[in-house]
């Protein structure tokens, strides 16, 4: 993201001579020379550094924006005061006393850092504005037409707000734009075909909205794109076969739409530079194309929740840089290729028709894995026999619906950051009271196993729990969970089950 810097001149207090000493008549100096020297010193002393204020139009436009804000709980705009230099206000950058960028952002993990209200059309007064960055706020209203009145505008990032309605066809007039992002708003209707006129764009991010219809074919004209994101909309139809135009594309995100058909062949042209290919949660079918094995710089591949069938191409062994691989919830079959990766951060092969028997060696040897999901992958092992190179950093482990025996205690008691563990539908046999429940753990599913002992009080801090259909016994600790989390055990009692006798 381009960032403009405004350098405020700094002045240090001048070091002045002692006027009292100079007022004493020197032996060899006449009064005329003394008077001249005193006048010069006094004039210098009265001079004060003057910092030029921002342009009056810029101040007026920004104050009008502030007047359209109805809630500012964290006082983001407290420095925006009439009569002060708007170039010193929070979120403002200037060049030659003209405002060049407006940058205001909230913190998702701090809910009071938002701004409520509408974007004032008076921002069009800021004729030298080249970047507008309004992110993670709570701004509402329609598409901001003020953008059409900013001749120097190059970068628009209005993300995680509540703008709604349709994007107007005249968006094609913003031909000077280099980046356009309305990520996570509430825009509806089709994506205007006129967007294909924005041929200087390097980033187009319309993900997280409510767009419908198909991808305009004219987008093939945006040949400088490095990021193309339309994820999480309601787009449908086939994915256009136009990707041979995008020689610079590094990120392609089309997940969570309603796209159908096969992966277009022209995506193969992206192999030299593409790092992120995300097509999950659509209705794509056919086999995974062999050419995906040519993407040697690919970091993330998400094909989950589609209708892909057949085998995973053997050429996947060439994906030596892959860190995040999600092929879950398809109809893929054996054999699965033995990848040649030095480490993998997340892997999800769940709910296909694989019969892996063992957890793959390239997974076991990974030094940095965070998330491992191999549910219903035909794994048959005693869990104590699995010796992963690293367990400390695991966030999520899902080994559900396999044929795994033994105890997870040795594995789980070596994790300090575990958020979720699922192993339902196996034959695990261990004392639940031996499980160390770390502070980060929020989800635990051990249902349909052979777990025995009592339910420890530590489970009360979880968000989700299922220990049903085991051999647990004894009084339940106080929790917020429904009876379904505990049904089918030998002799559990106490709320939400029947009272203990």
């Amino acid at each position: 993201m381009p960032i403009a810097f405004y350098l405020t001149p700094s002045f240090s207090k001048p070091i002045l001579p002692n006027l009292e000493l100079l007022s004493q008549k020197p032996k060899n100096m006449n009064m005329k020379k003394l008077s001249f020297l005193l006048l010069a010193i006094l004039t210098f002393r009265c001079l004060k550094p003057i910092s030029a204020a921002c342009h009056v139009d810029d101040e007026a436009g920004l104050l009008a924006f502030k007047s359209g804000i109805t809630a500012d709980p964290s006082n983001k705009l407290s420095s925006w005061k009439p009569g002060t230099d708007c170039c010193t206000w929070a979120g403002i950058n200037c060049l030659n006393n003209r405002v060049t960028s407006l940058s205001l952002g909230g913190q998702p993990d701090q809910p009071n850092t938002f701004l409520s209200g509408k974007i004032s059309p008076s921002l069009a007064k800021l004729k030298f504005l080249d970047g507008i960055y309004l992110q993670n706020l709570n701004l509402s209203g329609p598409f901001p037409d003020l953008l059409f009145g900013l001749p120097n505008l190059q970068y628009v990032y209005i993300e995680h707000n509540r703008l709604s309605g349709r994007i107007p066809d005249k968006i094609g007039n913003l031909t000077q734009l280099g980046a356009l992002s309305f990520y996570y708003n509430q825009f509806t209707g089709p994506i205007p075909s006129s967007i294909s006129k924005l041929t200087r764009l390097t980033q187009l991010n319309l993900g997280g909205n409510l767009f419908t219809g198909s991808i305009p074919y004219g987008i093939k004209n945006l040949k400088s794109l490095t990021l193309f994101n339309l994820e999480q909309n309601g787009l449908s139809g086939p994915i256009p076969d136009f990707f041979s135009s995008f020689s610079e594309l590094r990120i392609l995100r089309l997940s969570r739409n309603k796209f159908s058909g096969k992966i277009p062949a022209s995506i193969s042209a992206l192999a030299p530079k593409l790092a992120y290919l995300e097509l999950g949660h659509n209705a794509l079918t056919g086999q995974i194309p062999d050419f995906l094995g040519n993407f040697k710089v690919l970091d993330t591949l998400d094909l989950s929740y589609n209708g892909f069938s057949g085998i995973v191409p053997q050429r996947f062994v060439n994906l030596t840089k892959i860190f995040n691989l999600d092929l879950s919830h398809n109809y893929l079959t054996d054999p699965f290729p033995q990848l040649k990766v030095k480490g993998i951060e997340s892997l999800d092969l769940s709910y296909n028709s694989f019969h892996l028997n063992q957890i793959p060696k390239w997974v076991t040897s990974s030094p940095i894995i965070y998330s491992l999901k191999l549910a219903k992958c035909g794994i048959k092992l005693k869990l104590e026999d699995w010796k992963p190179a690293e367990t400390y950093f695991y966030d999520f482990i899902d080994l559900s619906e396999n044929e795994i025996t033994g105890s997870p205690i040795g594995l789980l008691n070596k994790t300090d950051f575990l958020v979720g563990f699922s192993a339902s539908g196996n034959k695990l046999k261990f004392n639940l009271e031996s499980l160390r429940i770390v502070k980060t753990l929020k989800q635990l599913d051990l249902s349909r196993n052979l777990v025995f002992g009592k339910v420890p009080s530590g489970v009360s801090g979880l968000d989700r729990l299922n220990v049903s259909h085991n051999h647990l016994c004894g009084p339940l600790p106080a929790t917020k969970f429904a009876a379904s989390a505990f049904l089918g055990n030998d002799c559990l009692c106490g709320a939400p089950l029947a009272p203990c006798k």
Side-chain angles (χ1 to χ4, degrees):
M1 183 184 301
I3 299 174
F5 293 96
Y6 171 62
L7 299 179
T8 305
S10 60
F11 300 90
S12 59
K13 185 177 179 180
I15 301 174
L16 298 177
N18 191 315
L19 290 180
E20 184 179 350
L21 292 176
L22 285 172
S23 66
Q24 298 175 6
K25 184 178 178 179
K27 294 179 180 179
N28 298 318
M29 184 181 292
N30 61 41
M31 289 300 296
K32 187 176 180 179
K33 291 183 178 179
L34 177 62
S35 298
F36 177 79
L37 180 59
L38 285 172
L39 178 62
I41 293 172
L42 288 171
T43 302
F44 177 69
R45 192 174 196 182
C46 292
L47 285 176
K48 293 183 178 179
I50 299 174
S51 178
C54 72
H55 195 279
V56 61
D57 288 346
D58 294 348
E59 180 183 357
L62 292 171
L63 289 175
F65 173 84
K66 182 178 180 180
S67 68
I69 300 301
T70 57
D72 180 11
S74 62
N75 294 314
K76 285 184 184 301
L77 306 182
S78 60
S79 62
W80 292 30
K81 297 177 181 178
T84 62
D85 182 4
C86 72
C87 288
T88 65
W89 295 354
I92 303 301
N93 286 316
C94 292
L95 182 64
N96 297 326
N97 307 316
R98 296 306 302 259
V99 174
T100 57
S101 74
L102 168 61
S103 179
L104 296 169
Q107 299 294 328
D109 57 343
Q110 298 178 24
N112 289 330
T113 59
F114 65 88
L115 292 177
S116 286
K118 293 180 167 34
I119 302 174
S120 171
S122 294
L123 283 181
K125 292 178 180 288
L126 283 64
K127 296 301 183 183
F128 287 81
L129 196 69
D130 66 21
I132 181 167
Y133 312 92
L134 301 173
Q135 299 164 303
N136 296 299
L137 300 168
N138 195 35
L139 301 173
S140 58
F143 181 91
D145 283 342
L146 67 97
L147 300 181
F148 300 114
L150 299 171
N152 294 293
L153 190 65
Q154 297 183 57
Y155 309 105
V156 176
Y157 292 87
I158 304 179
E159 302 176 332
H160 287 276
N161 285 285
R162 295 191 297 115
L163 302 185
S164 58
R166 295 194 172 204
I167 292 182
D169 288 337
K170 62 180 179 178
I171 195 170
N173 296 339
L174 299 176
T175 54
Q176 76 279 11
L177 286 185
L180 177 63
S181 178
F182 288 115
Y183 189 55
Y184 272 94
N185 280 277
Q186 298 173 9
F187 288 115
T188 56
I191 297 172
S193 59
S194 61
I195 212 165
S196 62
K197 297 178 182 179
L198 308 184
T199 54
R200 295 184 182 180
L201 284 182
T202 60
Q203 297 184 13
L204 177 60
N205 190 347
L206 301 178
N209 282 279
L210 302 170
F211 292 115
T212 54
S214 58
I215 299 176
Y217 192 77
I219 285 180
K220 70 176 182 177
N221 297 328
L222 310 184
K223 298 179 181 180
S224 298
L225 284 181
T226 61
L227 180 150
F228 183 30
N229 185 359
L230 300 177
E231 68 184 2
Q232 297 196 40
N233 281 286
L235 299 169
S236 58
I239 297 173
D241 197 5
F242 60 15
F243 291 95
S244 56
S245 300
F246 303 138
S247 60
E248 299 300 319
L249 198 64
R250 289 166 172 77
I251 301 173
L252 176 59
R253 289 178 170 147
L254 302 176
S255 296
R256 298 180 184 273
N257 281 284
K258 300 175 183 178
F259 294 123
S260 57
K262 297 182 178 181
I263 295 177
S266 62
I267 282 185
S268 63
L270 306 179
K273 294 184 178 180
L274 196 72
Y276 297 85
L277 177 57
E278 300 174 18
L279 305 176
H281 291 261
N282 282 289
L284 301 174
T285 55
Q287 293 192 329
I288 296 176
D290 281 347
F291 64 69
L292 290 184
N294 299 330
F295 286 61
K296 296 184 180 180
V297 298
L298 200 62
D299 175 288
T300 297
L301 176 61
D302 180 6
L303 303 179
S304 63
Y305 287 89
N306 279 287
F308 292 115
S309 56
I311 64 171
V312 176
Q314 181 61 30
R315 291 174 69 180
F316 267 41
V317 298
N318 296 325
L319 303 182
T320 56
K321 300 290 182 65
I322 197 81
F323 278 106
N324 303 282
L325 178 61
D326 191 348
L327 304 179
S328 64
H329 295 270
N330 282 287
Y331 303 99
L332 301 171
T333 58
D334 299 323
F336 192 88
Q338 189 75 15
L339 299 192
K340 299 177 181 179
V341 294
K342 294 181 179 179
I344 191 160
E345 292 182 357
S346 67
L347 175 69
D348 193 347
L349 304 179
S350 304
Y351 299 104
N352 282 281
S353 296
F354 294 130
H355 300 86
L356 300 181
N357 289 318
Q358 301 291 318
I359 295 175
K361 293 180 180 179
W362 51 273
V363 175
T364 301
S365 62
S366 179
I368 55 172
I369 193 162
Y370 298 116
S371 177
L372 176 63
K373 297 181 179 180
L374 298 175
K376 203 174 182 180
C377 281
I379 295 172
K380 302 177 181 180
L381 61 79
K382 185 178 180 182
L383 202 51
E384 291 94 335
D385 294 337
W386 182 49
K387 306 292 184 181
E390 181 58 69
T391 60
Y392 184 77
F393 295 109
Y394 270 110
D395 288 330
F396 294 94
I397 300 174
D398 187 354
L399 301 174
S400 302
E401 310 295 336
N402 284 292
E403 297 180 41
I404 300 174
T405 61
S407 168
I409 295 297
L411 171 67
L412 299 186
N413 284 5
K414 292 189 290 185
T415 63
D416 277 358
F417 301 101
L418 194 66
V419 176
F421 179 73
S422 297
S424 63
N426 283 286
K427 297 179 181 178
L428 297 178
K429 188 174 184 179
F430 67 99
N431 187 338
L432 187 58
E433 295 173 278
S434 301
L435 179 64
R436 182 172 70 100
I437 299 178
V438 295
K439 293 181 179 179
T440 56
L441 190 65
K442 297 299 178 185
Q443 305 166 18
L444 181 63
D445 187 352
L446 295 169
S447 59
R448 293 177 292 120
N449 278 282
L450 306 172
V451 184
F452 58 90
K454 295 180 179 180
V455 177
S457 60
V459 302
S460 61
L462 303 179
D463 292 337
R464 292 188 345 197
L465 173 69
N466 190 351
V467 291
S468 63
H469 301 284
N470 280 287
H471 297 294
L472 298 168
C473 198
L476 288 172
T479 71
K480 57 190 174 186
F481 303 111
S484 57
F486 306 105
L487 292 177
N489 279 283
D490 291 355
C491 49
L492 289 177
C493 60
L497 302 178
C500 296
K501 297 180 180 179

